[in-house]
Amino acid sequence: MLFPFVNVVATSFSSYKDVLSGNFILWPANPTLDAYRAIFNGNIVVRALMVSVGLTVFGTAAQMAFTTTMAFGLSGQNVPGTRAVLLMIFGALLFSPGLIPMYLLVRELGLIDNYAALVAPGLISAFNLIIVRQFFLNLPQDLTDSAKLDGASDWQLFWNIVLPLSKAVLAVVALFYAVGIWNSFFNAILYMNDSSKWPIQLVLRQYVLQGSSLASAVELNPATPPPPAATLQMAIVVVATVPILIVYPFLQKYFTKGVLTGAIKG
Amino acid sequence: MTEKDMKRTALETGLNRRTFLGTAAGMAAAMGGPGTVGAQDASPAASPAVEEDGILKSSVEGVPDAILQPPEPFQSYEGTPAEGGTVQFTHLIYTAPATARDDNQFWQEMEARLGLDELQVLEIPVSAYEERVSTLLAGGDLGDLFYLNSGEGGAATINQAIDQGAFTDLTDELTGENLQQYPNLATLPPAMWEQSKINGRIYGVPQPIYQGSNMTFYRKDWADTLGLSQPQNAEEYLAFFQSFRDDDPDGNGSNDTYAMGTSTANFISPMFRVPNTWRLNDDGTLTHMYETEEWIMSIEFRKQLWDNGTLHPDAASVTQQQFRDLFMGGQTGILSEGLGTLWGATGTKESIKQNQPDAELQAFLPVAYDGGEPYMYPLPAYYGTVAIPSNVGNDTDRMRELLRICDYMYPPFGSEEYNFHVYGIEGIHHTVDDAGARILTPQGEADIAGLLYGFVVQDLYIYNPGFPEHAQRQQELVEIALQYSVLNPTVGLYSQANSEKGPVVTQIITDATNDVVYGRQPVEELRNAVEEWRSRGGDEIRAEYEQLLREQQEG
């Protein structure tokens, strides 16, 4: 099961000879850093990585803040308007606007070329909201009642009691959000006019789609021909996936527990 | 050359029927009339190219100059095209974006040379071109200069936008005497202006593209080992391929070489005189290439190549990249590619020597299957245009300023402005070697990247630094290719039915072709597929094109 992954990493370190021999590469015979050098040439990839990391960290934090507070609000007993809001959320789950209305909305809000455009439109995912709300509903009633009797305010209830109990589901939802932001590229295409604000996935996608050389209209330096396409693409896969792979093991135990959260009652 | 090559056939350009007949007549005259036999006897041109100061000018119209030795840099432009202000240039990029403006000396220097306070560049990734064009048109933020290319997607949207007046009609400004106000633009080949017209009007400055046809190349060293000469008809091609497969051309004692890595190559259809997509008959009707006997013959030829075992076993599923890798690795001996990728220090001709030190490449000269006169399918003279959105272009002074900027973008070869445009600042972005060739540094590659895509001035010239004989040979091949050019009569016409149904009905044919070539179905299946093609959209597309051609003739 590890073989494809090993192949990807090994190919990213291979030279032209290895690729052309046509074998399945598990260990590069002629290792070279050419592909990585080519990708990191110029400041673009590093800058894009910083943009992506920044977006993921701050974006996920914002998304978690809004989602959990809203779920908490919707999970309370006898809160007026809960039904109406829930109906709107279901509507959001079912329908999505087309490309042009979305673009015009973001434009009217003045968010074009602003990092907020990559986070704000999808700030609260209806699906994740429902998962979190369901979990909050499953918390024992007695606990919240006794806390209220002791004089806890809503905020204290939320922060000191409900959240610590919900670590599993919060980890799962945070992971969903983080991966979603990390992988997003299309909204950057639409809303980011300034190419220095592009996230890493978009920049690397350009390399992959191009397939062979890095420059289309530029005369290449004969001393350093571009690396073969296969190695370049594999190096890109490595650069784009490694950060998430680093984070994932820490959250894995919560992930397996949390997937079942919304499904089982009681 | 990149994805651009593969998309060339989908272009909509401004070639109308009158121009088509005119050009065809011109080509017949250059050819010496019908009855010329095969490429063996054809000389590259009626008269040889003339050399002047290291630049080889061809006598055939439409063939770019070949640069043997770059001239001393000279100043070609006085002053700056603009006087302050900001310009937003919206265009496509195929690869990673250039370095950000604040860190990019090339960008800043370009602003200074243009006389602008700021040059903003909005880069659209090529895969999302269609969506981006839709959103930008909806929002009205097209900028000041907009790169239009319906070959990359969005043909319907762009055509609609032009009909509704989203882009300024520049025909009056860019023809006749007015064009002389822009001296560099006036030197662009007339074919570029003609072909890039949309509905007969000029909406933008056309971008040059390399002019050679796609050609097929073979390992000359293998052919020499086996004592083979260039095939002159279909029979000889079959024997040639067979020899590459059976007779161990690389001399390593094992039967591991194949002739070609895929079952299609760009010499096959022209060899059988298959029409270039559509053929215009004398009575004004169109016949599609699928409906001709010649096409069936070309598929049978490909089937035979496969049946004889001359093709690589993976031929049915290779990508363009794998096709190329097989050739570069010495497993196959024939490669079909854009003519431009072959030459220069990093071209295929030289880079194959890294893995195959004895490799020598030669192009198959065009021949016909029966030894008669072959066809060649020409490439369009341009790729995309840089247009001016009408909200900006309505101000005549602003429009003229923007056109002056476009004019600045096409300096003559070897001028100081040209060297900056292509290579950047000496010492930072490029270095000059002893032979006078300019070589980009890694910073140069990162800073320049595709920043000025839309104004690819270097495609107007054939230049291979360090390999002047390559440039000369390239020019000769382009001359040969242009001699046999057969144009697609529908180029420049936009058909709604083709846009909607074209891909679907073409897929029917593609599937049937693959089935027949690889032996899954008999050849008669092709005729059934063509019937289906006709009924599910082919006839409708044909009717639309015929109507458009009639309208063009009258209008």
Side-chain angles (χ1 to χ4, degrees):
Chain A
M1 206 206 63
L2 271 184
F3 281 138
F5 188 69
V6 172
N7 176 254
V8 166
V9 177
T11 311
S12 71
F13 286 108
S14 313
S15 61
Y16 211 4
K17 286 202 185 70
D18 298 325
V19 170
L20 285 182
S21 65
N23 300 329
F24 189 74
I25 306 172
L26 283 177
W27 186 262
N30 305 303
T32 168
L33 283 178
D34 275 347
Y36 289 98
R37 232 177 264 136
I39 300 175
F40 285 102
N41 184 22
N43 237 354
I44 312 162
V45 170
V46 173
R47 195 182 196 125
L49 264 173
M50 290 190 334
V51 167
S52 273
V53 168
L55 272 176
T56 307
V57 168
F58 292 112
T60 309
Q63 285 177 320
M64 286 306 294
F66 280 90
T67 309
T68 49
T69 47
M70 187 167 181
F72 182 67
L74 288 173
S75 66
Q77 307 290 68
N78 305 319
V79 177
T82 310
R83 256 227 130 74
V85 175
L86 275 175
L87 273 175
M88 286 199 287
I89 294 171
F90 279 128
L93 203 57
L94 292 174
F95 303 110
S96 76
L99 186 67
I100 301 216
M102 273 294 281
Y103 178 80
L104 289 175
L105 174 66
V106 172
R107 185 172 169 272
E108 294 300 313
L109 289 173
L111 290 180
I112 295 288
D113 232 15
N114 191 331
Y115 288 117
L118 300 180
V119 175
L123 194 63
I124 303 180
S125 154
F127 183 70
N128 292 340
L129 179 69
I130 291 174
I131 291 181
V132 177
R133 176 180 176 263
Q134 193 58 38
F135 186 85
F136 287 171
L137 282 177
N138 281 348
L139 290 175
Q141 189 68 4
D142 313 329
L143 194 57
T144 46
D145 283 348
S146 61
K148 282 209 194 109
L149 278 176
D150 285 343
S153 70
D154 279 329
W155 173 253
Q156 280 171 323
L157 186 61
F158 176 67
W159 186 255
N160 294 324
I161 303 202
V162 172
L163 276 191
L165 286 177
S166 323
K167 286 210 178 87
V169 76
L170 291 184
V172 169
V173 171
L175 189 65
F176 282 156
Y177 276 140
V179 172
I181 298 186
W182 181 261
N183 285 344
S184 68
F185 69 95
F186 195 68
N187 45 4
I189 293 180
L190 280 187
Y191 307 130
M192 290 299 167
N193 290 348
D194 185 356
S195 54
S196 61
K197 291 189 180 151
W198 282 2
I200 190 70
Q201 298 295 347
L202 182 53
V203 169
L204 296 185
R205 189 167 178 271
Q206 286 292 96
Y207 282 105
V208 172
L209 288 185
Q210 176 68 357
S212 50
S213 66
L214 295 179
S216 60
V218 182
E219 311 281 327
L220 298 171
N221 182 346
T224 58
T231 63
L232 200 57
Q233 287 162 352
M234 296 307 173
I236 283 158
V237 171
V238 169
V239 171
T241 336
V242 159
I244 285 286
L245 280 179
I246 293 176
V247 170
Y248 188 74
F250 296 106
L251 296 173
Q252 194 191 3
K253 55 175 175 167
Y254 295 112
F255 188 65
T256 40
K257 228 197 296 176
V259 160
L260 298 173
T261 313
I264 301 175
K265 236 181 130 74
Chain B
M1 292 286 147
T2 62
E3 283 182 57
K4 289 198 298 194
D5 277 345
M6 300 179 220
K7 303 221 191 213
R8 281 173 187 175
T9 48
L11 278 184
E12 318 283 353
T13 63
L15 192 68
N16 62 24
R17 186 163 178 246
R18 274 189 224 117
T19 322
F20 158 63
L21 290 177
T23 323
M27 295 216 182
M31 240 179 349
T36 320
V37 178
Q40 201 180 9
D41 298 344
S43 58
S47 53
V50 172
E51 181 177 336
E52 209 181 282
D53 302 324
I55 299 182
L56 207 56
K57 290 190 191 295
S58 171
S59 53
V60 176
E61 186 183 314
V63 176
D65 296 341
I67 314 291
L68 302 175
Q69 178 65 27
E72 283 301 309
F74 56 95
Q75 188 85 10
S76 74
Y77 202 95
E78 287 287 325
T80 65
E83 321 259 317
T86 311
V87 164
Q88 184 186 314
F89 175 40
T90 313
H91 72 155
L92 264 189
I93 48 165
Y94 289 90
T95 178
T99 317
R101 183 173 165 268
D102 296 335
D103 303 321
N104 192 332
Q105 284 168 293
F106 176 72
W107 194 329
Q108 290 162 6
E109 178 64 23
M110 195 77 213
E111 275 173 354
R113 284 168 181 250
L114 290 174
L116 292 172
D117 296 328
E118 196 183 341
L119 173 68
Q120 293 167 350
V121 179
L122 202 173
E123 290 168 318
I124 303 177
V126 59
S127 54
Y129 183 67
E130 186 163 352
E131 289 87 357
R132 211 51 173 113
V133 168
S134 316
T135 54
L136 288 173
L137 278 170
D141 322 308
L142 295 166
D144 300 299
L145 288 171
F146 193 88
Y147 178 73
L148 278 180
N149 191 342
S150 35
E152 292 289 359
T157 319
I158 292 177
N159 270 276
Q160 196 179 26
I162 289 182
D163 282 341
Q164 293 172 350
F167 295 99
T168 312
D169 184 344
L170 300 168
T171 316
D172 296 325
E173 192 67 18
L174 291 175
T175 44
E177 277 183 20
N178 287 339
L179 183 58
Q180 302 305 320
Q181 288 173 43
Y182 309 105
N184 291 331
L185 293 182
T187 62
L188 291 178
M192 274 175 69
W193 293 109
E194 264 313 303
Q195 287 189 20
S196 62
K197 282 186 182 166
I198 302 176
N199 302 333
R201 313 290 295 172
I202 298 179
Y203 284 97
V205 176
Q207 178 184 224
I209 193 176
Y210 182 76
Q211 272 305 284
S213 254
N214 294 330
M215 277 194 169
T216 311
F217 308 97
Y218 66 98
R219 293 282 301 268
K220 184 164 187 306
D221 50 315
W222 286 11
D224 289 342
T225 313
L226 301 174
L228 298 169
S229 55
Q230 287 231 6
Q232 296 300 319
N233 55 42
E235 291 295 320
E236 289 184 24
Y237 263 110
L238 287 172
F240 190 98
F241 275 51
Q242 197 70 46
S243 198
F244 265 28
R245 170 77 185 110
D246 295 336
D247 300 337
D248 192 27
D250 59 357
N252 62 357
S254 69
N255 195 5
D256 61 354
T257 56
Y258 292 90
M260 205 159 69
T262 161
S263 72
T264 182
N266 50 33
F267 72 92
I268 298 180
S269 289
M271 181 164 79
F272 284 91
R273 291 196 282 270
V274 176
N276 185 355
T277 316
W278 292 97
R279 177 172 62 212
L280 185 61
N281 303 317
D282 296 325
D283 55 358
T285 57
L286 288 169
T287 309
H288 197 276
M289 65 182 187
Y290 299 147
E291 298 171 310
T292 57
E293 274 313 302
E294 290 93 345
W295 180 71
I296 307 258
M297 287 198 289
S298 72
I299 307 293
E300 283 174 339
F301 178 81
R302 287 170 54 187
K303 179 179 166 53
Q304 227 181 331
L305 286 179
W306 174 255
D307 289 342
N308 290 352
T310 57
L311 301 179
H312 194 278
D314 289 341
S317 61
V318 287
T319 62
Q320 180 72 15
Q321 188 57 42
Q322 286 164 330
F323 177 33
R324 197 164 181 275
D325 284 343
L326 284 172
F327 180 77
M328 298 296 267
Q331 290 165 310
T332 61
I334 295 172
L335 180 71
S336 232
E337 231 180 18
L339 186 60
T341 55
L342 204 64
W343 317 95
T346 49
T348 315
K349 242 180 174 334
E350 289 302 308
S351 55
I352 193 175
K353 293 189 181 155
Q354 286 177 6
N355 303 295
Q356 305 275 304
D358 303 321
E360 250 191 75
L361 303 189
Q362 179 117 325
F364 281 128
L365 293 176
V367 294
Y369 70 104
D370 53 3
E373 213 168 81
Y375 282 178
M376 281 293 271
Y377 301 148
L379 297 169
Y382 78 105
Y383 197 63
T385 59
V386 177
I388 300 178
S390 50
N391 57 331
V392 169
N394 284 337
D395 174 0
T396 318
D397 290 330
R398 179 68 167 160
M399 173 194 47
R400 294 220 169 104
E401 189 182 39
L402 292 170
L403 286 179
R404 283 200 299 274
I405 291 178
C406 294
D407 183 50
Y408 185 84
M409 290 302 192
Y410 287 104
F413 186 92
S415 63
E416 208 267 320
E417 290 78 13
Y418 179 92
N419 289 337
F420 173 75
H421 182 137
V422 177
Y423 303 108
I425 303 172
E426 184 171 341
I428 304 177
H429 299 121
H430 73 273
T431 53
V432 186
D433 74 5
D434 308 319
R438 293 169 192 266
I439 303 174
L440 284 179
T441 60
Q443 169 146 16
E445 284 177 13
D447 281 359
I448 301 177
L451 192 66
L452 297 175
Y453 185 77
F455 296 115
V456 178
V457 61
Q458 52 268 53
D459 275 358
L460 285 172
Y461 307 98
I462 300 177
Y463 176 50
N464 303 116
F467 294 88
E469 65 281 5
H470 281 195
Q472 190 163 3
R473 185 67 186 139
Q474 252 185 315
Q475 195 182 51
E476 283 169 15
L477 288 174
V478 173
E479 284 172 352
I480 291 175
L482 279 181
Q483 278 189 357
Y484 299 113
S485 273
V486 164
L487 299 164
N488 176 354
T490 65
V491 131
L493 302 173
Y494 174 69
S495 150
Q496 184 77 7
N498 192 33
S499 188
E500 290 164 7
K501 298 194 178 163
V504 173
V505 292
T506 309
Q507 191 64 37
I508 302 172
I509 302 284
T510 313
D511 291 340
T513 309
N514 283 335
D515 284 344
V516 168
V517 168
Y518 295 110
R520 293 189 285 266
Q521 297 270 11
V523 178
E524 288 68 46
E525 193 52 36
L526 285 176
R527 298 185 201 273
N528 295 341
V530 173
E531 278 311 309
E532 206 185 330
W533 177 88
R534 275 206 192 109
S535 60
R536 284 181 56 179
D539 281 338
E540 196 184 325
I541 298 173
R542 189 219 318 279
E544 254 188 43
Y545 274 131
E546 283 174 356
Q547 172 71 16
L548 288 166
L549 281 173
R550 266 196 297 277
E551 282 168 14
Q552 269 211 326
Q553 244 220 321
E554 292 151 17

Short mmCIF file of all heavy atoms in Angstrom, two decimals, chain B residues 14 66 81 123 151 157 238 245 355 367 447 522-523 535 537:
data_model
loop_
_atom_site.label_atom_id
_atom_site.label_comp_id
_atom_site.label_asym_id
_atom_site.label_seq_id
_atom_site.Cartn_x
_atom_site.Cartn_y
_atom_site.Cartn_z
N GLY B 14 -10.05 34.97 -38.93
CA GLY B 14 -10.82 35.80 -39.83
C GLY B 14 -10.66 35.47 -41.28
O GLY B 14 -10.84 36.31 -42.15
N ALA B 66 15.28 34.06 -40.76
CA ALA B 66 16.15 33.22 -39.94
C ALA B 66 17.35 34.06 -39.53
O ALA B 66 18.00 34.68 -40.38
CB ALA B 66 16.59 32.00 -40.72
N PRO B 81 6.09 55.18 -24.99
CA PRO B 81 4.76 55.20 -25.61
C PRO B 81 3.70 55.89 -24.76
O PRO B 81 2.74 56.43 -25.28
CB PRO B 81 4.41 53.73 -25.79
CG PRO B 81 5.43 52.96 -25.04
CD PRO B 81 6.58 53.83 -24.73
N GLU B 123 -3.17 37.71 -14.26
CA GLU B 123 -2.83 36.48 -14.95
C GLU B 123 -3.92 35.44 -14.76
O GLU B 123 -4.28 35.11 -13.64
CB GLU B 123 -1.48 35.97 -14.45
CG GLU B 123 -0.39 36.90 -14.95
CD GLU B 123 0.94 36.69 -14.29
OE1 GLU B 123 0.95 36.49 -13.08
OE2 GLU B 123 1.94 36.72 -15.00
N GLY B 151 -9.48 29.90 -28.84
CA GLY B 151 -8.93 28.56 -28.94
C GLY B 151 -8.68 27.95 -27.57
O GLY B 151 -8.59 26.74 -27.44
N THR B 157 -18.80 32.60 -25.51
CA THR B 157 -18.85 33.83 -24.70
C THR B 157 -18.15 34.98 -25.40
O THR B 157 -18.65 36.10 -25.43
CB THR B 157 -18.14 33.59 -23.34
OG1 THR B 157 -18.48 32.31 -22.86
CG2 THR B 157 -18.50 34.65 -22.35
N LEU B 238 5.70 1.85 -45.15
CA LEU B 238 5.47 0.62 -44.41
C LEU B 238 6.77 -0.16 -44.28
O LEU B 238 7.09 -0.68 -43.21
CB LEU B 238 4.41 -0.24 -45.13
CG LEU B 238 2.98 0.29 -45.01
CD1 LEU B 238 2.06 -0.51 -45.92
CD2 LEU B 238 2.49 0.22 -43.59
N ARG B 245 11.60 -1.80 -36.98
CA ARG B 245 11.18 -2.75 -35.96
C ARG B 245 12.03 -4.00 -35.99
O ARG B 245 12.47 -4.49 -34.97
CB ARG B 245 9.70 -3.09 -36.20
CG ARG B 245 9.19 -4.24 -35.36
CD ARG B 245 8.94 -3.80 -33.94
NE ARG B 245 8.56 -4.93 -33.10
CZ ARG B 245 9.34 -5.44 -32.15
NH1 ARG B 245 10.53 -4.93 -31.94
NH2 ARG B 245 8.93 -6.45 -31.42
N ASN B 355 20.90 11.12 -23.90
CA ASN B 355 20.66 9.71 -23.64
C ASN B 355 21.08 8.83 -24.80
O ASN B 355 21.34 7.66 -24.63
CB ASN B 355 19.17 9.48 -23.40
CG ASN B 355 18.67 10.33 -22.26
OD1 ASN B 355 19.08 10.15 -21.15
ND2 ASN B 355 17.82 11.28 -22.57
N VAL B 367 5.45 13.69 -48.74
CA VAL B 367 5.21 12.93 -49.98
C VAL B 367 3.78 12.46 -49.93
O VAL B 367 3.14 12.47 -48.88
CB VAL B 367 6.14 11.70 -50.11
CG1 VAL B 367 7.57 12.12 -50.25
CG2 VAL B 367 5.95 10.78 -48.92
N ASP B 447 11.74 35.98 -13.27
CA ASP B 447 11.19 37.33 -13.38
C ASP B 447 10.41 37.55 -14.66
O ASP B 447 9.41 38.25 -14.68
CB ASP B 447 12.31 38.37 -13.31
CG ASP B 447 12.80 38.62 -11.89
OD1 ASP B 447 12.25 38.00 -10.97
OD2 ASP B 447 13.73 39.43 -11.72
N PRO B 522 -14.02 -4.29 -37.60
CA PRO B 522 -13.58 -4.26 -39.00
C PRO B 522 -13.68 -2.85 -39.57
O PRO B 522 -14.32 -1.98 -38.99
CB PRO B 522 -14.60 -5.19 -39.69
CG PRO B 522 -15.82 -5.11 -38.83
CD PRO B 522 -15.36 -4.90 -37.43
N VAL B 523 -13.05 -2.66 -40.73
CA VAL B 523 -12.98 -1.33 -41.32
C VAL B 523 -14.36 -0.78 -41.67
O VAL B 523 -14.60 0.43 -41.61
CB VAL B 523 -12.07 -1.35 -42.57
CG1 VAL B 523 -12.01 0.01 -43.21
CG2 VAL B 523 -10.68 -1.81 -42.18
N SER B 535 -25.78 11.92 -38.76
CA SER B 535 -27.15 12.10 -38.25
C SER B 535 -27.16 12.79 -36.89
O SER B 535 -28.10 13.49 -36.57
CB SER B 535 -27.86 10.75 -38.17
OG SER B 535 -27.16 9.91 -37.30
N GLY B 537 -25.25 15.16 -35.79
CA GLY B 537 -24.77 16.54 -35.71
C GLY B 537 -23.96 16.98 -36.90
O GLY B 537 -23.92 18.16 -37.22
#
